[in-house]
Amino acid sequence: MTVSKTAVADHGKARKEAADDQTAEALQLGELSGLLGYSLKRAQLKIFEDFLRCVAPLQLTPAQFSVLLLLEKNPGRNQTEIANTLGILRPNFVAMLDGLESRDLCTRMRSANDRRSHVLLLTDKGRAVLARAKKLVAAKHEARLNELLGPANRAALLAMLTRIATEF
Amino acid sequence: MTVSKTAVADHGKARKEAADDQTAEALQLGELSGLLGYSLKRAQLKIFEDFLRCVAPLQLTPAQFSVLLLLEKNPGRNQTEIANTLGILRPNFVAMLDGLESRDLCTRMRSANDRRSHVLLLTDKGRAVLARAKKLVAAKHEARLNELLGPANRAALLAMLTRIATEF
């Protein structure tokens, strides 16, 4: 242990003076604000929070929405293919499917050509919930993002993110 | 349950034929590839993976690196202030501090002016590890990102992400 008690007392004094001033002194981000990874994570958390608010009536997380979209576009693919495509770890994915299946949004069925494998399909209810979710996402979530960034910047941002995801 | 067995059998047949062709047919992302939240998450995962590889000799996660950077810039602030600034939930943050403290990278001390509160400080070892981590991040991680995007695009990306994190 290599920190002097004097240093702590000094900092404590500075904090107390700040508190006495009734000013909540904001922390200095320093180099953090220049790191792409940090900014990506903060932006992603903000966007996920807004997504959850916009889709709250349907109780869907961004990950669940992604799974439903992928099942709609690729019916009858197996669990491993869907999980791998989304980069979701197997135990997490199984738990997520249990949740979606218990709400009758999707279903697992034994594959006709490989009895050891399960294929995934949207149910009619899953299709209806997904259609409503798409409308909420477009009308609220994506519309607000478009308003903040402008369509050209939004497109440029999407292109750079896709480049990082596929080429980095 | 509203999915016909015929549909499953058809999909199974298509999959078997694809497998017979020895071609692993990629899934169609469809609307997913146009969603900013999805692309942000994929890019963020990619960047975090690369960060972990680049800083592997020091065994630091991106979140631990952020905490050390913030402690260096803001010595003697309390746990709540650091956790809130980084948007880390309290139980996760306490577990992370336990890990950093057990490796003698930072230390918790009772505040001189409020005995119920703990202030956080880097140790000398923490300062040395952070200095090495900064060099690895700059020379490997950020340099590769710069190479991929170019400095102007990198700056534009950072500005848009910061805007989302602060204004969305």
Side-chain angles (χ1 to χ4, degrees):
Chain A
M1 249 293 305
T2 46
V3 179
S4 77
K5 295 232 168 178
T6 321
V8 182
D10 285 351
H11 289 301
K13 194 168 161 242
R15 297 299 307 133
K16 187 165 189 309
E17 281 162 6
D20 289 345
D21 282 339
Q22 298 285 319
T23 47
E25 190 189 327
L27 274 73
Q28 301 295 312
L29 282 183
E31 288 155 81
L32 259 188
S33 57
L35 288 174
L36 216 41
Y38 177 75
S39 304
L40 261 173
K41 184 69 190 179
R42 297 311 298 253
Q44 181 250 310
L45 290 175
K46 246 336 185 16
I47 284 187
F48 273 36
E49 275 168 28
D50 185 75
F51 182 99
L52 289 172
R53 260 194 306 273
C54 294
V55 188
L58 303 173
Q59 294 282 306
L60 284 182
T61 65
Q64 290 171 328
F65 181 63
S66 301
V67 170
L68 296 183
L69 274 178
L70 211 55
L71 293 187
E72 182 187 50
K73 192 81 184 173
N74 307 272
R77 302 295 286 252
N78 69 44
Q79 291 186 37
T80 311
E81 291 173 306
I82 303 283
N84 288 349
T85 301
L86 294 173
I88 303 177
L89 296 176
R90 192 178 167 80
N92 302 344
F93 189 61
V94 169
M96 197 200 296
L97 284 182
D98 289 343
L100 292 172
E101 211 171 12
S102 73
R103 291 163 66 187
D104 191 27
L105 299 179
C106 77
T107 180
R108 276 174 274 211
M109 289 195 146
R110 286 215 180 275
S111 166
N113 62 315
D114 176 1
R115 302 292 297 172
R116 291 162 307 176
S117 155
H118 283 93
V119 297
L120 299 176
L121 292 160
L122 280 185
T123 60
D124 285 351
K125 185 179 170 197
R127 215 176 308 277
V129 166
L130 178 58
R132 286 181 61 200
K134 282 187 199 180
K135 279 185 194 159
L136 288 176
V137 169
K140 299 187 174 210
H141 180 66
E142 291 288 335
R144 274 192 61 217
L145 269 169
N146 248 322
E147 207 177 306
L148 178 69
L149 299 172
N153 280 333
R154 190 193 172 285
L157 176 58
L158 190 62
M160 283 193 272
L161 293 172
T162 304
R163 188 138 189 229
I164 293 172
T166 54
E167 296 177 39
F168 188 53
Chain B
M1 247 294 306
T2 46
V3 179
S4 79
K5 295 231 170 180
T6 322
V8 182
D10 284 351
H11 289 301
K13 195 165 161 244
R15 297 298 307 133
K16 188 167 188 310
E17 281 161 8
D20 289 346
D21 283 340
Q22 298 286 319
T23 47
E25 191 190 327
L27 275 72
Q28 301 295 313
L29 283 183
E31 289 154 83
L32 260 188
S33 57
L35 288 174
L36 217 40
Y38 177 75
S39 304
L40 260 172
K41 183 70 189 178
R42 297 312 297 254
Q44 181 251 309
L45 290 174
K46 248 333 185 21
I47 284 189
F48 273 36
E49 276 169 27
D50 185 75
F51 182 98
L52 289 172
R53 261 194 305 274
C54 293
V55 188
L58 303 173
Q59 294 282 304
L60 284 182
T61 64
Q64 290 172 328
F65 181 63
S66 300
V67 170
L68 297 183
L69 273 178
L70 211 55
L71 293 187
E72 182 187 50
K73 192 81 183 172
N74 307 272
R77 303 295 286 252
N78 69 44
Q79 291 186 36
T80 311
E81 291 173 305
I82 303 283
N84 288 349
T85 301
L86 294 173
I88 304 176
L89 296 176
R90 193 178 167 81
N92 301 344
F93 190 61
V94 169
M96 198 201 296
L97 285 182
D98 288 344
L100 291 172
E101 210 171 11
S102 72
R103 292 162 66 187
D104 191 26
L105 300 179
C106 76
T107 180
R108 274 175 275 211
M109 289 196 146
R110 286 216 179 275
S111 166
N113 62 316
D114 176 1
R115 302 292 297 172
R116 291 161 307 175
S117 153
H118 282 93
V119 296
L120 299 175
L121 292 159
L122 282 185
T123 59
D124 285 351
K125 186 180 168 196
R127 217 176 307 276
V129 166
L130 178 59
R132 287 181 60 200
K134 282 187 197 179
K135 280 185 194 159
L136 288 176
V137 169
K140 299 187 173 210
H141 180 66
E142 292 288 335
R144 274 192 61 217
L145 269 170
N146 248 321
E147 207 177 306
L148 178 69
L149 299 172
N153 280 333
R154 190 193 172 284
L157 176 58
L158 190 63
M160 282 193 274
L161 294 172
T162 305
R163 188 140 188 228
I164 293 172
T166 55
E167 296 176 38
F168 189 53

